[in-house]
Amino acid sequence: MTSTVLTVATMGEAASAVAQGATFFAGGTIIMRDINAGTAAASLVRTTDPSLKQIRISGETVTLGAGVTMANILANRDLAFLHPVARLVGGPQVRNMGTVGGNLFAPHPYGDFAVALLALGARVVMAGQGGARPVDDLLRDGTRSPGLVAAVEFARPRSGTFGFLKVSRVKPKGVSVLSVSALLPREGGRIRGARVAWGAMGPRPQRGTSAERALEGQSLTAETMGRAAAAAAEGLNPETDAIATDWYRREVAGVHLRRMLEQMERG
Amino acid sequence: MAKKPVNFTLNGDARAAFAEDGQNLLEFLRRGVGDMSPKYGCGQGTCGACTVMIDGETQLSCLVLAEAVDGKEVRTASGLPSPALDPLQVAFMENFAAQCGYCTPGMLVSARALLDRNPRPSREEVIEAISGNLCRCTGYETIIQAILAVAEGRVRA
Ligand SMILES: Cc1cc2nc3c(=O)[nH]c(=O)nc-3n(C[C@H](O)[C@H](O)[C@H](O)COP(=O)(O)OP(=O)(O)OC[C@H]3O[C@@H](n4cnc5c(N)ncnc54)[C@H](O)[C@@H]3O)c2cc1C
Ligand code: FES
Ligand code: FES
């Protein structure tokens, strides 16, 4: 089936088209495959609205428009803490095309940027709706988009509190065996409000609650890292695909969590 | 089915053609415009044979909506100079960087984009720049050598 594509000038018009059932077309790196295969939705909408590509940094708050590409992030020096994440999404062409918004809906094993946003405790701003909702909710709801995402916002992490690691077989470009990210704010040397997020360890990026419990209230010693690593795979149900089996993913999750924590500790 | 007018520049020349609804840029360039240099390898974004530059950025034309290049500058491997060659083309020949040649137009576009932005890339930067382009023949080393030869000024063209 062929799809019809509507191009509109403003985010508002795009949001109403989405509300009426159209599928949003962002960078196209996922959805264009379906269009090429004739399996995409009948009605698609895209917008040329420049506000979707805005990056705003005011005080400690970072706001990324949903249409910001991985390459846009890599070109922004104020977002250096996100460069190790954006650099590992696809190859150069995919990074020039793929957007922050699209990454939130990318199916397994994709969604590496969404994993980082989940660890950062990002909030999602929907077009035409007031307020923002936790990215956790949106990711829990699956790959069906709940409307048009306008932007994501989060507090810039303090130096040394944010970590990200992606494990892939093909370098420098390869999909995830898994990815893991953490935000570990400290109070008086103790971790307060630990957030750990996993990618490719289930159908969608998800919180690593068992690892979070092992880290909360502790200082980041070798012993704490060991306990978090031992608990890492609890409650996770990864898929088996061409890259790795579910068993393998569970086996290595703790090892990679520990490596990321060690990296964070070294700074 | 709706046809959409697309006005754009292809390798510096103003062009106008109609795109079908949902048509990808690769098919549009090959069938609609007659530029056969971008190749169809996978149609899924994995091989890079269809790589073109849009406003100076490399993109995968099989995943770009043709109508989205309205008002934009598209560059393909056929825009490389002829009959006098781009130094990259000379270096690809001198270094045996092509066997079947199917990946070559995409490789040349990725390499040109790299050198336009960064004329003296390191080996790592070259590898990174062509990491979205698959080659099933050469094992990549000759391609890396060819691009480095241009970067290091070892090619006369
Ligand atoms: C070769 C290749 C390699 C890849 N490697 C990786 C990788 O390593 N890691 C990774 O994470 N991903 C990878 N991807 C997947 C993809 O490129 C990225 O996830 C990218 O960020 C998707 O963004 P997009 O703008 O292209 O999405 P699109 O294809 O435009 O959209 C994807 C989905 O998201 C929805 N959507 C997009 N934007 C919005 C919005 N603002 N509001 C509501 N819904 C929206 C669309 O409706 C659609 O359902 C790869 C893809 C390819 C082709
Ligand atoms: S044909 Fe476009 S990436 Fe393979
Ligand atoms: S030369 Fe055959 S694919 Fe590269």
Side-chain angles (χ1 to χ4, degrees):
Chain A
M1 188 185 61
T2 49
S3 309
T4 60
V5 184
L6 175 70
T7 302
V8 296
T10 66
M11 190 136 63
E13 290 164 275
S16 18
V18 170
Q20 283 157 32
T23 299
F24 189 64
F25 185 106
T29 56
I30 292 170
I31 208 165
M32 196 70 198
R33 291 174 166 183
D34 296 337
I35 298 179
N36 289 340
T39 56
S43 145
L44 299 156
V45 62
R46 55 186 278 272
T47 177
T48 48
D49 192 333
S51 69
L52 215 59
K53 293 191 78 75
Q54 246 170 32
I55 296 178
R56 256 179 305 132
I57 300 170
S58 68
E60 290 307 295
T61 307
V62 178
T63 308
L64 304 177
V68 168
T69 62
M70 297 299 126
N72 295 151
I73 289 167
L74 289 166
N76 190 311
R77 264 190 262 154
D78 295 330
L79 298 176
F81 64 98
L82 285 173
H83 290 184
V85 187
R87 194 177 294 126
L88 292 177
V89 173
Q93 302 97 321
V94 166
R95 291 194 288 275
N96 285 336
M97 303 168 72
T99 65
V100 169
N103 208 272
L104 291 173
F105 302 100
H108 171 88
Y110 296 146
D112 299 312
F113 198 81
V115 171
L117 290 174
L118 183 57
L120 286 166
R123 299 174 66 79
V124 179
V125 183
M126 303 300 295
Q129 296 173 21
R133 52 195 282 231
V135 71
D136 306 54
D137 295 357
L138 189 107
L139 291 172
R140 210 177 296 117
D141 292 348
T143 51
R144 263 189 64 83
S145 111
L148 180 65
V149 174
V152 294
E153 55 182 39
F154 49 87
R156 170 198 292 285
R158 286 180 184 253
S159 123
T161 64
F162 175 69
F164 177 84
L165 181 86
K166 171 174 167 175
V167 185
S168 53
R169 295 188 189 274
V170 180
K171 295 188 179 67
K173 184 203 97 152
V175 298
S176 279
V177 171
L178 60 82
S179 54
V180 57
S181 184
L183 182 71
L184 304 177
R186 317 292 157 83
E187 263 172 37
R190 307 250 163 205
I191 297 166
R192 292 273 177 246
R195 291 180 69 93
V196 174
W198 294 100
M201 288 300 290
R204 306 286 296 131
Q206 61 189 306
R207 295 278 291 276
T209 45
S210 49
E212 287 173 358
R213 274 196 301 274
L215 292 163
E216 189 65 27
Q218 309 295 316
S219 46
L220 196 53
T221 59
E223 207 191 343
T224 307
M225 292 182 202
R227 272 201 298 271
E234 264 170 46
L236 298 176
N237 285 305
E239 296 181 15
T240 292
D241 60 17
I243 305 294
T245 62
D246 58 340
W247 174 84
Y248 180 79
R249 286 190 158 102
R250 256 195 303 269
E251 279 299 297
V252 299
V255 176
H256 293 298
L257 173 66
R258 187 207 296 259
R259 284 185 191 162
M260 182 193 65
L261 294 172
E262 284 168 357
Q263 247 174 41
M264 289 173 73
E265 188 52 17
R266 282 194 302 270
Chain B
M1 208 163 41
K3 297 231 185 212
K4 298 180 176 169
V6 185
N7 290 287
F8 67 113
T9 68
L10 179 61
N11 299 317
D13 298 330
R15 302 296 285 260
F18 284 99
E20 309 278 346
D21 229 339
Q23 186 176 31
N24 67 53
L25 178 62
L26 175 61
E27 203 184 80
F28 174 77
L29 288 174
R30 291 179 60 88
R31 297 221 184 129
V33 182
D35 184 344
M36 296 303 211
S37 69
K39 302 294 177 213
Y40 177 95
C42 65
Q44 305 194 359
T46 34
C47 74
C50 67
T51 302
V52 301
M53 274 189 244
I54 301 176
D55 289 349
E57 277 186 347
T58 56
Q59 298 202 12
L60 300 164
S61 61
C62 70
L63 297 184
V64 172
L65 271 178
E67 61 183 272
V69 302
D70 189 51
K72 304 209 167 177
E73 267 178 49
V74 178
R75 284 175 69 194
T76 67
S78 25
L80 294 172
S82 158
L85 299 175
D86 187 286
L88 277 167
Q89 289 167 297
V90 176
F92 267 56
M93 289 193 290
E94 287 180 351
N95 288 274
F96 306 100
Q99 287 180 31
C100 79
Y102 205 75
C103 68
T104 310
M107 286 287 181
L108 286 170
V109 172
S110 285
R112 178 85 329 267
L114 168 70
L115 296 182
D116 285 353
R117 196 176 64 240
N118 174 7
R120 293 271 175 278
S122 65
R123 182 182 164 88
E124 278 60 46
E125 287 168 329
V126 169
I127 292 172
E128 179 63 51
I130 60 167
S131 63
N133 296 76
L134 297 187
C135 175
R136 297 289 83 172
C137 304
T138 64
Y140 301 103
E141 189 54 35
T142 54
I143 297 174
I144 298 166
Q145 290 308 326
I147 299 170
L148 284 173
V150 178
E152 289 160 10
R154 290 187 273 113
V155 177
R156 292 163 295 108

